[in-house]
Amino acid sequence: MRLHLGEATGMSIYHISATLALVIITACGGSGSGVNSTTNGNATIGGLTLLSHTPADLEMQVDVHAAIQLIFDKGVVIESLRDQDTHLRTEDSETNIEGTLRLAENDRAVSFTPVAPLALEANYVFQLSALTCDAEGHLLDTQYQFSFRTLDNTAPTIQSSNLTGQQNRSRSTAIQVTFSEPLDIASLTANTVQLIDTFGQTYNCRREIAANTISITPQAELPGDRNFTLTLGTGLRDLAGNTLAVAFTSSFRTDSDFTSPSVFGAWPAVGALHISPSVEPVIEFSESMDPATVEPASVFFHDEFGSQVAFTVIANENQHTLRLKPLQNLSANRSFEITFLTGIAAVTDVSGNPLTATQALSFSTGTDTTTPWIVQALPSSNENRVSINVVPLITFNEALDTEWIDGDTVALFCGNERTAAVVQQLASNTIRLTPLLRLLPYKSYQVVLSGGHQGIRDLAGNVLPEDLAFPFATANDNSLPSAMLQPYNGSAGVPSTIHASIVFDSRIDPSTVSAATCELRMDNGVPVVATVALDTSNRVIGITPASALVPGYYYRTFVRGGPLGVRESSGNWLANDLNARFRVGAGIDNTPPTVNVQINRIAQSRSTGLIVPTSGFTIDVTASDAEQSLDMGSTRIRFTGSGTAPFAAELLANAAIGYNSVHLTVPLESAITRGAWSVSVEVADLSGNRGTSQSLQLQVDEPSSEALPFETTQVVWVRTDLDRDGNGRSDFDDDLYRMGLATEGDNAGTNSQVQKLMRDAIVTRASNLFGRAADGEPLGPDSIQVRITTRAPGAIRHMEIALGGYDPEGNRNRVYGATSTGILGRAYFDYRNANMNDRNLATSPGLGVFPGEMWLYQAKLHQQLYPSFLTMFAQRFLPLCPAMGGTPAGSHPADPVVLRASFQPSTANSEQLARFNVLMQAIDDWAMVNGTVLAHEIGHSLGLVAPGPAPNGLFGDSSLHDDNAGATEVMAASVGYESMVTLSYAFRDIELAYLRQRLILR
Amino acid sequence: MKILLASFLLSAASALPAQQQATTLFTLAKSADVVVIATANAASDPSVDFHRIEFHTDQVLKGSAGESFAILEQAGRCCGRALSAMTIGDQVIAFLDYRGPGLHPLGGSRGISLATPEIVAHVRQLLAAQNQKSYGEILASGLSNPDQRVRIDAALALAALPSTRLGATANQQILSALQNELQAASASLPAMIDASVRFLGDAAATTLVQSLLTTDDDNVSNLMTRGLARLSGDSVHQSLMVAALPNPLAQQRACELAACIPNALSLPMLRILLTQSPRVALAASEALLANGVSAESIAPLTDSEVLKVAIERHSQLPKLRVVGKGNRQ
């Protein structure tokens, strides 16, 4: 009597699969004897590496006959270089340049020679496909691009400008000149770009460049009704260094200006007292003024005795603000008045329009001529390891004038980029700068305070002599510390014999741990006499009172936060002080805690016979204590066996510690010797009672390729091209039409764009679940060796899986309102991924991913519930699905615009934006669902979830799914639409350990 | 006869994967031609490519199945068939369809489960129900069933049940289940939120708002906000007005809720929150903009930098998770 047919039937199917594999195996990965290169104690797959190339990236003046040379670390397969993602093109072109490939040096050197010389003065881009591979199937796994420019000996020429011969031109708008090619921005100087009026006066301009166009903007408004000439000199040059052959000139006449200026504001304020004798009063006007018209005849600047004050005039950049600089300091303790006169001698704007209304500005001087200075800056200048949640504070020796403290005079920069921050005057002499978002780790910032007469000043008006900059560097750590205080806040009945424990989530800077930063206090805040000590892991601070605590009393543990408190070794500090209040009970604690330990988060009941690699596996400790006074910082993990194993303190230093738990990954630098080991854990409570876990037996071994799912990267080709229902159109496209993401006839020509968006988004979702980027690139050591592609991979052995349409085992003629089979997909189960060429394409059994079934179910649900309830599916697809009354993609008037690949939402009108959002959010939700199902099916063909306990299985149930499936597990037996679009799905830890080859199956 | 542990039953004989709501006990009971309790008697595979199990009918709950019947499937654990997980001697409850001459499980492996007392009792009740109200009350009582499949399927089925008014007991059962689910945050949470919103209406607002203000999980927060968006804005905001906002997280969540569900009731709270820490002020500014308050009227109440960033973020498009993220090969 047969109980299970799994192995036998599996063998028959594997036999078929194997047969297919013999047919389709090509050059890459033929024999499966992959090279293992151990990088972190796991058996990782050695990849293919591009060591060097010519031309270099961004190289200029490349010979038009040059060949592209690539050097790899292993011999490559020439067929893989013919992948459609390997090409040479001119910039922004979609056309490949023909050429011949040659291999040399044991196939490690590749040269690509264009069949015809390249064009002169052209930008080229060479791209190398991520699917480039060697004979053993090792992939490049990262798409690579570099650019270069061919020989360019041609001077740039002017194509157009926006001012030739213009009359009545705006006095302030930018002049734009477009060249035949981009210019070198360094060649745009005041000498090469000149704006001069008919009287020979030169006007300052701001010079900018974007692509081939330069913009010249006058800094102040130009005089009205005047002729100007723009001259571009021969010093202007292109990126290759070719200079303009002939200077360019163009003339224009400005628009008339008959508007009289008026005074906008002034400083000091009218009637101000005790102003510094070194004051330089500032007057703000409504438009650009002519500083040359400011003279004793037009401005009356005198003291209370009528004595005139001699001064010069300084205008700001746009000449809206004029500053009167007395030739010598004003007399102390005297009143002064400034009056702008009207009439024939009045000050004028740049166009000569006189001031017609006047206002007297009066103030009195005091005796204070001392510039303010800074007494403290936090962070201090050039400080490193500054916490990413820093709020800079600058304290001066005296009160500052509020009017001059704002975003114009106080700023925070990261490099040259301004960082959004709120400037506040915390106290009269203190400025606080609060970044709106957390700072980036390991970056250089600086607080800049403006000096001079446009900057910060004291109440008397004394300014800083110059700009002040306070550079600092943030800690190389993007997470803030947190700490767990034990006893925790609110605990009661705490034994009187305890010490307090503060467990940080990372190593602490020992120099910041002291009685000043960590205290045990009475409830009234008075510190208790105690010893403060940091343990050898640099994670755990113990505060041990000199005598037992008093029963019935409340106590508080205090940890100082902020820059003056405890800090991580990276430099980050706690955002706030930490406090925990607890009450001491009457009892004494003699009971040790109960301790449990797990390897790779596998329950102890399933831990028998576990085999782990020498590093990279996880250890989890949980403890419980009747008095609720655990001291998790006391956790000591002990390995017993022959050979070397990490010390307890070493392991704890890298662990994640919770109120009753510890989790860590055995690091590579603490690798364990092969052999038989036992693991046990001790945890104490705050009274010093120690509990010990059961001892777990495990085998540590170096993994071999036969035991691992990936000799080389598993490539998966997702087949969206199949027409399994035989209706003449791909099943994937059938889904798009059903859901309203494509229109029959495709008059707007948008179907292919939506098809691409949807296909790519589904694959992005599945890639993300395998720890890969949207492009399929690996992100780091935790990325799984699975690369999903949407087209034939060519030279590489690979899996294929159908995506689209209904379950082939159901009725293929079902329409909107029909019943779903309820099955979202099927795939072969391939234990330990023994066969890298699985074909999940059949119709009997029906294999692949079936989005059509999800659509049928959701559609029927919508029919039942609408209009009283709108499901999440209907929220997205009601506007689109034709069967639901929607307008499908390609049929709405806005669709030809919003579905263009080049569409920019920032340029959209409100109707287009609304339609764009409807389309993209629908595609996004649908891709999240089907991408998750795709990852699930691929998971089966990688060996998930092998049934039974380790070392043979991954604790899958008999249906090959997660047993006791919890929240949001990819390999759960059943999944829901709403969950997949709103919650974070992931593979189980043990599955990830297997897929990352940190767990070995035998 | 072997009855396996309830926890194992959940996934015994599952397809790969099933759409949960399409294969709940409620849906299967309604859709199946035959619902039967049977014992797996023998395996009689006609070939290596097919797996057939002979069943002895113990009890017919719906339709007719004869004294015995057979189910035939394509063989292979590799395809996760309903039968491959079965052991001879297992007593199961099967939801079957006539397709051609033979009976086939509905919903793949979800259509055959080990016949635990809890599942059998629940299915009997469902088969005996006469109207939507009865279904609703049976499903509401199933939310606290000791059997995990019954509980999860009840939540899923309730969320998909056509609207109907339930009694006070059923409503209380739904509210209790919602509170438990908010703690557990399992994959049933979306269904429970939907069910609560539909059957409890505004009565669910307080529970959901209180949970929202304390969660630091952005996904769960988003889920609860989408649920709250189905309720009347006034009830949501009245719950928000009386909720405590003791820390920046709660303040931020309150602003995010007010941004997603604009309502004039929240404006005074948002104006007060403009004076809190810059990051809370940022969230409050964004919420005010979402409520149609002009930037000009917000400007005097908050820092210009805060408002500038709020305007930038407010004008950004809704976040897409996977669309347009990269050029594929």
Side-chain angles (χ1 to χ4, degrees), chain B residues 46-60:
Chain B
S47 72
V48 291
D49 293 325
F50 289 93
H51 185 31
R52 181 168 59 201
I53 290 191
E54 312 279 349
F55 289 89
H56 174 262
T57 305
D58 296 328
Q59 195 174 359
V60 176

Side-chain angles (χ1 to χ4, degrees), chain A residues 2-6 9 13 85 130 420-422 434 436-438 760-761 763 774-775 787-791 809 821-829 844-845 854 857-858 861 864-865 868-870 872 875 905 913 916-917 920-921 923-925 927-928 937 940 947 957-962 964 967 973-976 978-979 981-984, chain B residues 7-8 10-23 27 43 45 48-51 74-81 84-88 99 107-108 110 148 159-163 185-188 190 194 197-198 219-220 222-223 226 230 278-279 282 303 305-306 309 313 317-329:
Chain A
R2 272 204 209 141
L3 299 182
H4 294 284
L5 290 174
T9 308
I13 289 183
D85 269 353
V422 170
T434 308
L436 278 179
L437 302 169
R438 207 175 273 180
D760 290 355
V763 173
D775 289 343
R787 189 177 185 103
I788 304 173
T789 176
T790 54
R791 54 172 175 73
E809 296 189 14
T821 63
I823 308 300
L824 300 176
R826 288 189 200 87
Y828 287 126
F829 170 68
S844 181
M854 177 65 85
Y857 178 76
Q858 291 295 331
L861 188 63
Q864 282 172 219
L865 300 177
S868 65
F869 189 70
L870 198 62
M872 277 192 193
Q875 279 179 7
L913 199 57
F916 178 80
N917 286 338
M920 294 304 130
Q921 288 184 299
I923 295 171
D924 199 59
D925 271 11
M928 288 291 288
E937 300 308 333
H940 280 309
D957 62 17
S958 56
S959 73
L960 306 168
H961 295 106
D962 291 335
N964 294 314
S974 56
V975 290
E978 290 77 9
S979 301
V981 299
T982 51
L983 300 178
S984 295
Chain B
S7 59
F8 186 77
L10 175 67
S11 311
S14 299
L16 295 167
Q19 154 65 313
Q20 274 182 322
Q21 280 182 316
T23 54
T27 308
D45 300 346
V48 291
D49 293 325
F50 289 93
H51 185 31
Q74 287 201 315
R77 163 173 293 169
C78 56
C79 301
R81 297 291 176 182
S84 63
M86 208 159 292
T87 305
I88 298 301
R99 276 178 247 160
R110 294 260 291 166
Q148 189 175 9
L161 199 67
S163 294
S186 79
S188 298
D194 272 0
V197 158
R198 292 183 50 229
N219 285 333
V220 173
N222 181 35
L223 194 58
R226 287 173 83 162
R230 290 179 168 85
R279 290 195 191 136
L282 178 61
D303 186 88
E305 199 65 31
V306 166
V309 175
R313 284 159 61 108
L317 293 170
K319 196 174 164 195
L320 297 171
R321 294 154 294 185
V322 289
V323 174
K325 296 297 181 189
N327 288 321
R328 296 238 44 90
Q329 297 162 323

